[in-house]
Amino acid sequence: MSKQKEYQENLIKTVINNSESDNWKDAVKEWDIVDVEEDLDCAGQCTCGKEGLRYLFTIKNRINNNIIYPIGSSCISKFGVDKLKNEAKLKEDLFKLLHAVENNEYITISSDLFSRKLLEYLYNIGAFVPNYYNDFEPKNDYKFLLDMFNKRKKSEQQEKKSSAIIINSIIPFLRDLLDNRIKAH
């Protein structure tokens, strides 16, 4: 049996054994991502047996509260559940952005580090702060960056405003996340 086939069988068996449903098609719908951690050494091993994981996800069954850890994003993709696949990608994108902040890179509103979904996620978790410049309405900054993300050509003024929002809202928020992550480990 090939390694890929063995991994897939291990995944299916683990998921079904920890689900209420006894078939793959229904069992995969019972799960949510509840956490993710990054292993920079890529020494993690998925529940399926695959080695070399960088992102170690924890998923929880919303019916029986069973937990599967660690599970890799490629196995989560095999669930065929768009919500889970998109969330896994979003979490990986957030780590890339965190590393850019950690490495003091110059961050601009581009598809290198941002996506529409990541901007929405950052807005939903409070990365945009109320201030005088956004009329004390964080959604204004979120909408502005979303508009700038969608634009090919930006004026110098728009570039400056984008940078100001990133420097004054997003980067400090992410630095706090990093500080909390470092304290937790």
Side-chain angles (χ1 to χ4, degrees):
M1 175 185 315
S2 75
K3 278 282 188 201
Q4 277 308 111
K5 186 86 170 143
E6 183 181 330
Y7 294 153
Q8 189 160 346
E9 286 182 12
N10 288 344
L11 174 67
I12 291 168
K13 182 179 170 189
T14 301
V15 170
I16 290 175
N17 285 344
N18 284 283
S19 298
E20 290 301 303
S21 179
D22 61 358
N23 69 74
W24 176 254
K25 185 177 154 235
D26 294 327
V28 295
K29 296 174 186 169
E30 298 177 17
W31 296 89
D32 295 311
I33 295 173
V34 293
D35 195 19
V36 61
E37 53 191 75
E38 184 180 30
D39 179 353
L40 294 174
D41 297 325
C42 298
Q45 181 177 345
C46 182
T47 193
C48 76
K50 183 179 179 186
E51 297 176 339
L53 294 185
R54 180 174 187 140
Y55 301 105
L56 310 168
F57 289 87
T58 302
I59 58 174
K60 183 176 181 179
N61 186 294
R62 77 179 76 81
I63 298 171
N64 62 22
N65 293 323
N66 284 343
I67 289 182
I68 297 176
Y69 170 85
I71 185 166
S73 55
S74 63
C75 280
I76 289 173
S77 291
K78 289 183 177 116
F79 280 39
V81 177
D82 286 342
K83 178 184 174 267
L84 289 177
K85 184 178 168 183
N86 292 338
E87 189 175 346
K89 169 93 171 84
L90 185 65
K91 300 289 186 182
E92 290 178 6
D93 289 347
L94 182 60
F95 274 111
K96 289 176 191 160
L97 184 57
L98 282 167
H99 288 302
V101 169
E102 208 170 30
N103 296 329
N104 292 317
E105 293 175 22
Y106 181 70
I107 298 171
T108 61
I109 189 72
S110 70
S111 58
D112 295 342
L113 291 173
F114 289 97
S115 66
R116 289 171 196 81
K117 289 192 181 296
L118 183 57
L119 285 169
E120 180 182 15
Y121 179 73
L122 289 168
Y123 171 71
N124 288 334
I125 63 173
F128 296 92
V129 294
N131 59 49
Y132 173 81
Y133 300 102
N134 62 22
D135 295 326
F136 299 96
E137 181 52 62
K139 192 169 196 171
N140 292 336
D141 284 347
Y142 160 65
K143 285 181 174 180
F144 179 80
L145 285 185
L146 191 59
D147 287 344
M148 291 305 101
F149 182 81
N150 292 327
K151 258 189 175 192
R152 288 181 189 231
K153 292 246 183 210
K154 301 170 192 83
S155 71
E156 186 178 333
Q157 203 60 23
Q158 290 169 325
E159 290 281 5
K160 285 180 180 178
K161 183 174 179 178
S162 295
S163 291
I165 294 168
I166 291 168
I167 290 167
N168 294 312
S169 292
I170 294 175
I171 290 176
F173 180 84
L174 293 174
R175 286 206 188 281
D176 286 346
L177 273 183
L178 282 168
D179 289 345
N180 291 334
R181 190 178 78 181
I182 291 166
K183 289 174 190 167
H185 293 290

